[in-house]
Amino acid sequence: MALFRVSSNKIAELNQILPLANLAVRNLTDASTDLKHVLAQKIPKEQERIKAFRKEHGNTKVGEVTVDMIYGGMRGIKGLVCETSVLDADEGIRFRGYSIPECQKILPKAAGGAEPLPEGLFWLLVTGEVPTDAQVAALSKEWAKRAELPAHVASLLNNFPSTLHPMSQFSCAVTALNTESKFLKAYTAGVHKAKYWEYVYEDSLDLIAKIPVVAATIYNNQFRNSKSLAPIDPNSDWSANFSKMLGFTDPQFIELMRLYLTIHSDHEGGNVSAHTVHLVGSALSDPYLSFAAGLNGLAGPLHGLANQEVLNWLNKLASEIGVDASEDQIKEYVWKTLKSGQVVPGYGHAVLRKTDPRYTCQREFALKHLPNDPLFKLVSNVFKVVPNILLETGKVKNPWPNVDAHSGVLLQYYNLKETNYYTVLFGVSRALGVLASLIWSRALGLPLERPKSMSTDGLMKAVGYTK
Ligand SMILES: CC(C)(COP(=O)(O)OP(=O)(O)OC[C@H]1O[C@@H](n2cnc3c(N)ncnc32)[C@H](O)[C@@H]1OP(=O)(O)O)[C@@H](O)C(=O)NCCC(=O)NCCS
């Protein structure tokens, strides 16, 4: 049974919306608005809990590995610990036990807003507790305070050629930010490993605070004639500040950003970006280097870049056939894509086997705010035809849409049109999940990751294959 702690004023609300069979709700353990303090209380208890568990079950088997799993990208192999979220193939992601609709209900919102603040999600991911409004406000302030970039990173960003993809600019800038790493300095000075997590925590907060500035600088340099950034408002939230730095002040767009930055944050531990950050971090590379490595993985078209690919694919469809293409015309276009050896971007998933709830909540946002948008209608019509076609191919394990099938159309509606920027937004959000995990990886003293690989000859020998 999972134990999650929430503030007392949330409990009545929770009792109404959550199926409590699997959820024991407890009072907030600590009302402090200092996240590091709250975390510091939890870590020793969690270390002890895991120690006792491993003592009793260290040799208990939890699965089997087949030859196909080894050749098949390790699908289904249980080989990682990730505390922040768990992905159920049918139900989708749960952040510390809470589904996306539940998070939309229980996490604190901005005044007058309806979508969760990503600060609250981060607090939840780090502590397992639903934060109070005051805790979330403290985090907004903390991130605003830490946002400034060192001069060499600003200058690096300002000197990138416009031909360099925004994701490459993003990962270069994050790598160069490691001049600021407190973990690196502490490690070099010989700090005891029991204290590693504290420095990873500090770096993570600094990094989360600074990446919207990095991301907005990339956007303004590339698409707004190097316009200078709107100043950070210390009384505003992370998403509102980010949106304004990008030049978007429409309150609805800011709400979209709050939702967007919440739902793209975490997808358990095995996806390319999360796993990469964990892997690189396990070598005790600092959080900047680890996160930059994860961004490079996110920049792949089968992972985060799919959101750019979807929009380009939809735009091409609209320009070739028309945005009001009929279902038959869309079918023909999908088959053309498949026959040319391409994937249909935004569909399929390595773990999920149903429609991604991240797709569904974005669809609900669209139904509420832009129900008559022609591109949204096209996305809806694509949804009607693609799953059956993918099923017809006989090989696609999950024919349903994922998060990337929907995100771009919302951005287009609010005039964020530059598709090659979309994955940067994903990256800003992904920092919340992977850095929350990185803090815990060091808190739990997880070792250098080093799975065993085998040659084909070695594998054949191991299973007695002699042909
Ligand atoms: C996400 C993805 C990489 C998962 O890959 P996977 O776990 O290997 O998926 P499957 O096991 O279903 O793949 C089996 C086959 O179906 C194909 N397939 C899967 N999704 C497909 C799609 N959307 N369009 C066409 N073919 C697809 C695979 O390429 C593979 O073909 P192959 O045997 O010829 O190599 C894959 O579904 C994909 O490429 N989707 C499009 C890109 C995308 O949206 N990525 C974002 C994911 S959040």
Side-chain angles (χ1 to χ4, degrees):
M1 178 153 72
L3 289 180
F4 298 98
R5 298 175 177 89
V6 296
S7 62
S8 47
N9 62 341
K10 293 274 180 209
I11 291 179
E13 202 182 336
L14 275 170
N15 282 337
Q16 295 193 343
I17 60 167
L18 297 178
L20 288 179
N22 297 318
L23 209 65
V25 179
R26 285 198 179 165
N27 283 321
L28 193 71
T29 50
D30 195 334
S32 164
T33 55
D34 179 352
L35 177 57
K36 192 172 182 182
H37 170 84
V38 175
L39 182 58
Q41 310 305 306
K42 290 184 173 298
I43 287 173
K45 290 182 200 141
E46 197 54 17
Q47 286 169 335
E48 280 310 307
R49 199 168 74 95
I50 293 171
K51 197 169 153 200
F53 171 56
R54 289 184 65 182
K55 194 169 167 212
E56 209 167 305
H57 282 287
N59 289 320
T60 305
K61 288 187 180 150
V62 291
E64 290 180 335
V65 179
T66 64
V67 171
D68 266 352
M69 284 167 152
I70 298 174
Y71 281 103
M74 299 194 279
R75 298 285 185 290
I77 296 181
K78 298 183 188 83
L80 291 164
V81 174
C82 173
E83 309 288 9
T84 50
S85 65
V86 175
L87 180 59
D88 179 86
D90 294 321
E91 191 195 40
I93 195 67
R94 276 185 180 266
F95 302 118
R96 291 279 186 174
Y98 296 114
S99 69
I100 286 178
E102 287 164 359
C103 284
Q104 284 177 290
K105 290 203 171 90
I106 63 179
L107 290 178
K109 328 246 175 327
E115 300 299 344
L117 288 162
E119 288 89 328
L121 197 266
F122 183 71
W123 189 291
L124 174 67
L125 292 178
V126 170
T127 65
E129 293 178 353
V130 176
T132 61
D133 291 349
Q135 287 169 328
V136 162
L139 211 44
S140 299
K141 274 209 179 338
E142 192 63 38
W143 289 352
K145 205 166 71 190
R146 295 174 184 236
E148 200 180 333
L149 296 187
H152 74 278
V153 172
S155 143
L156 182 74
L157 284 163
N158 293 341
N159 283 289
F160 283 135
S162 60
T163 45
L164 189 63
H165 191 281
M167 279 304 280
S168 308
Q169 298 187 33
F170 194 8
S171 101
C172 287
V174 170
T175 297
L177 265 174
N178 94 321
T179 48
E180 310 311 291
S181 175
K182 293 166 182 158
F183 174 79
L184 179 60
K185 286 187 190 82
Y187 185 85
T188 310
V191 71
H192 192 281
K193 63 183 179 183
K195 288 194 165 294
Y196 286 171
W197 77 264
E198 295 186 27
Y199 298 95
V200 170
Y201 173 92
E202 292 298 336
D203 278 0
S204 297
L205 260 68
D206 285 343
L207 190 42
I208 292 168
K210 290 176 197 311
I211 53 174
V213 186
V214 170
T217 306
I218 294 167
Y219 187 76
N220 286 6
N221 281 348
Q222 191 128 349
F223 308 116
R224 299 180 76 214
N225 294 321
S226 303
K227 203 169 168 38
S228 29
L229 303 187
I232 298 262
D233 175 355
N235 297 314
S236 195
D237 62 276
W238 191 60
S239 314
N241 273 321
F242 182 31
S243 302
K244 286 175 191 160
M245 285 190 286
L246 291 170
F248 293 83
T249 51
D250 177 349
Q252 244 182 51
F253 178 86
I254 295 172
E255 275 288 277
L256 172 63
M257 272 301 106
R258 291 176 183 132
L259 178 66
Y260 189 108
L261 296 173
T262 296
I263 64 172
H264 286 78
S265 59
D266 208 30
H267 223 221
E268 72 171 30
N271 67 77
V272 170
S273 50
H275 189 188
T276 304
V277 174
H278 173 70
L279 171 67
V280 176
S282 83
L284 299 185
S285 303
D286 66 60
Y288 296 89
L289 299 181
S290 306
F291 180 58
L295 285 176
N296 287 335
L298 195 70
L302 296 188
H303 190 23
L305 201 80
N307 60 7
Q308 163 184 323
E309 301 292 284
V310 167
L311 235 290
N312 292 343
W313 185 85
L314 287 172
N315 283 339
K316 199 151 172 270
L317 188 164
S319 72
E320 279 181 28
I321 317 169
V323 74
D324 52 359
S326 69
E327 286 185 26
D328 281 343
Q329 286 172 313
I330 297 172
K331 274 184 196 162
E332 205 179 311
Y333 189 81
V334 172
W335 276 115
K336 198 171 95 183
T337 302
L338 292 172
K339 283 179 185 153
S340 68
Q342 313 288 309
V343 294
V344 180
Y347 282 77
H349 199 271
V351 178
L352 272 171
R353 293 296 175 258
K354 291 272 168 64
T355 295
D356 190 337
R358 300 173 300 175
Y359 176 93
T360 309
C361 74
Q362 294 183 93
R363 179 172 164 75
E364 278 161 11
F365 188 96
L367 285 169
K368 187 168 159 195
H369 297 292
L370 45 135
N372 299 317
D373 177 56
L375 207 53
F376 167 54
K377 286 187 176 160
L378 177 60
V379 167
S380 304
N381 289 337
V382 167
F383 182 24
K384 285 184 196 150
V385 307
V386 168
N388 280 337
I389 296 178
L390 291 182
L391 281 176
E392 241 182 90
T393 66
K395 63 174 184 178
V396 179
K397 294 199 188 64
N398 174 35
W400 303 107
N402 59 56
V403 64
D404 300 315
H406 215 303
S407 51
V409 64
L410 300 174
L411 299 169
Q412 291 281 312
Y413 178 78
Y414 292 103
N415 272 327
L416 206 166
K417 301 268 185 195
E418 299 83 3
T419 56
N420 63 347
Y421 188 73
Y422 289 0
T423 313
V424 173
L425 298 176
F426 195 155
V428 171
S429 171
R430 189 44 61 104
L432 302 177
V434 299
L435 292 172
S437 275
L438 199 63
I439 296 167
W440 272 105
S441 296
R442 296 292 75 77
L444 298 178
L446 300 184
L448 179 79
E449 192 178 286
R450 194 5 179 136
K452 174 81 185 115
S453 65
M454 296 187 79
S455 66
T456 290
D457 283 343
L459 254 184
M460 287 176 169
K461 205 169 153 204
V463 301
Y465 183 83
T466 51
K467 285 180 205 155

